[in-house]
Amino acid sequence: MSAKKETFGKTIGVVVAVCLVCSIVVSGAAVGLRTQQKANAQLDKQTNILEAAGLLKAGMTAKDISNAYQASVEEKFVELDTGSYVANPEGEGKVYDMYAAARKPETSIKPVPDTAGILRRMNVASVYIVKDDAGQPSRIVLPINGSGLWNLMYGFLAVDNDGNTVRELVYYDQAETPGLGGEVQNPAWKAKWNGKKLYKDGETAIQVKKGANSSSPYEVDALSGATLTSKGVQHTLDYWLGEHGWGPYLKKQPWKS
């Protein structure tokens, strides 16, 4: 009997020891990789912004991407209710996560109506000003998000400095069905946005619709077989181009000041 108890006790001891060692290894790896994870996240963000800016080129290395971003892109912070620039909410030189701010009641609001299905909207959002060789704003890259079929989709909408002409719509984080809603990342569909207009007579006019007239400056063909994803894109734009999203900022156009 004592031998059985001793064997069982040793087994438990070994299991506990292995679990302890594994937890230490995992925790150590997580801490050790944290810096690299942050660097990778920053690189991914810069890559997507450069794509929206029209500055991403094939074969660019991580250093190339960082250099191009630093040379041509300036992050600013916009109080969405007024469309005015404000200071970095986290303090000068620090990283501001607008979507983390959207999860905090003290730094966000509940959208009414919540057209895009985002639940909460941050009070202050990041915007990315793309400058030409002369240092003048050439494109404005606006972060947007909204519900698709399965989950929230996150992207960047790039417009000319007229605040109305679309150049790129880049979705970088989405969980839509591959081959259907996932086609929001298909270069052929993305190319259809170039040159389209957001507003007509001061009202949001861009439409994602089945059988769109390709010659219309306000229509983009919906994704084939992905009605709900296409509607999600439309609802996202309806919200973010409206008075509770980027509307006041695009109307004020402070980048020209």
Side-chain angles (χ1 to χ4, degrees), residues 6-69:
E6 184 178 352
T7 301
F8 180 74
K10 286 183 177 180
T11 301
I12 295 298
V14 170
V15 170
V16 170
V18 170
C19 291
L20 181 61
V21 171
C22 289
S23 65
I24 292 173
V25 171
V26 171
S27 298
V31 172
L33 292 173
R34 188 171 299 160
T35 299
Q36 185 60 46
Q37 290 171 341
K38 289 182 178 180
N40 289 341
Q42 182 182 37
L43 177 62
D44 186 61
K45 178 180 177 180
Q46 291 178 348
T47 300
N48 289 303
I49 292 173
L50 286 184
E51 181 181 355
L55 298 175
L56 187 65
K57 300 176 182 177
M60 292 182 77
T61 65
K63 185 176 181 180
D64 294 334
I65 291 170
S66 178
N67 289 343
Y69 181 89

Side-chain angles (χ1 to χ4, degrees), residues 91-150:
E92 186 175 355
K94 294 186 177 180
V95 176
Y96 173 63
D97 186 338
M98 58 183 274
Y99 291 120
R103 294 191 291 269
K104 301 175 183 177
E106 65 271 22
T107 54
S108 66
I109 62 169
K110 289 184 178 181
V112 180
D114 189 4
T115 312
I118 57 177
L119 301 182
R120 300 197 70 89
R121 189 220 70 185
M122 67 296 296
N123 297 330
V124 176
S126 296
V127 67
Y128 303 91
I129 311 300
V130 183
K131 298 183 178 181
D132 59 22
D133 293 339
Q136 298 302 309
S138 59
R139 288 189 187 185
I140 315 301
V141 179
L142 309 166
I144 59 171
N145 69 323
S147 293
L149 173 59
W150 301 112

Side-chain angles (χ1 to χ4, degrees), residues 218-252:
Y218 304 106
E219 296 182 12
V220 177
D221 203 19
L223 294 164
S224 179
T227 301
L228 293 180
T229 302
S230 298
K231 287 184 177 180
V233 175
Q234 180 70 63
H235 293 159
T236 296
L237 294 176
D238 287 341
Y239 179 80
W240 283 104
L241 297 175
E243 61 178 332
H244 300 298
W246 291 110
Y249 175 72
L250 292 173
K251 183 178 181 180
K252 185 174 287 189

